[in-house]
Amino acid sequence: MPDAKIAPNLPQWMLDHIQRYLSSGGTDGHMYKVTPPGYAEMVVPALLLTTTGRKSGERFIFPLFYGKVGDGYVIVASKGGAPDHPGWYKNLVANPDAEVQVGTEHRRVRARTVSGEERARLWKQALEFWPPYADYEKKTDREIPVVMLDPVS
């Protein structure tokens, strides 16, 4: 991901996390220790998603918590329950071809927003790796998108 930039306007904790992840080559930062408000400390798997900006055409890196599904990954476009979808999700809708770094491994992926029974099943899995998604869901009127990142050969 050498030509990718860190996404603009990220909070400091995300910037610090990306820097730790990138500077270690993925040996530090993949398993992220955090204590969300109202929860006990937890360790959550994190990946780095690189999307293509829908307006700029530039490549941007975002840190996201994820779950493993077969050879792919499930991510959630929660934006902490904000009323609008996160920029990375809008980028994936415009161009679903992306890259991920999971630990030390880099892969090309294609994103797809899931629906119906698949969404229900993957939402339940997402609540297992990041329980605060349930709180975010209560804060917003939008249906929070659940996204599968399927590997591309």
Side-chain angles (χ1 to χ4, degrees):
M1 293 180 275
D3 63 329
K5 301 176 181 180
I6 294 174
N9 305 316
L10 294 179
Q12 190 61 48
W13 72 269
M14 283 187 176
L15 296 173
D16 294 344
H17 182 211
I18 292 170
Q19 288 298 341
R20 194 168 81 229
Y21 211 121
L22 291 175
S23 67
S24 72
T27 60
D28 185 18
H30 175 231
M31 299 307 291
Y32 187 74
K33 188 184 293 188
V34 61
T35 306
Y39 292 86
E41 180 179 87
M42 56 184 81
V43 178
V44 187
L47 56 74
L48 297 180
L49 174 69
T50 301
T51 66
T52 301
R54 64 198 175 282
K55 297 175 187 171
S56 68
E58 294 181 292
R59 293 164 33 85
F60 294 106
I61 302 169
F62 299 86
L64 299 169
F65 298 143
Y66 77 92
K68 187 90 170 98
V69 180
D71 289 340
Y73 308 96
V74 60
I75 55 175
V76 177
S78 69
K79 199 175 179 182
D84 192 24
H85 297 314
W88 64 260
Y89 177 72
K90 294 175 186 178
N91 290 348
L92 288 177
V93 169
N95 181 356
D97 294 320
E99 293 178 27
V100 292
Q101 180 177 347
V102 181
T104 59
E105 182 182 338
H106 295 260
R107 298 180 85 175
R108 290 181 25 222
V109 293
R110 181 161 295 126
R112 61 183 175 86
T113 303
V114 298
S115 60
E117 183 279 326
E118 184 179 25
R119 184 192 184 281
R121 179 174 44 83
L122 294 177
W123 177 257
K124 187 174 181 181
Q125 181 179 342
L127 292 175
E128 291 173 13
F129 66 77
W130 188 246
Y133 287 142
D135 300 328
Y136 304 162
E137 184 178 41
K138 293 174 189 169
K139 290 171 51 177
T140 186
D141 291 331
R142 69 183 169 95
E143 180 176 77
I144 295 175
V146 177
V147 177
M148 264 306 301
L149 300 174
D150 297 311
V152 175
S153 332

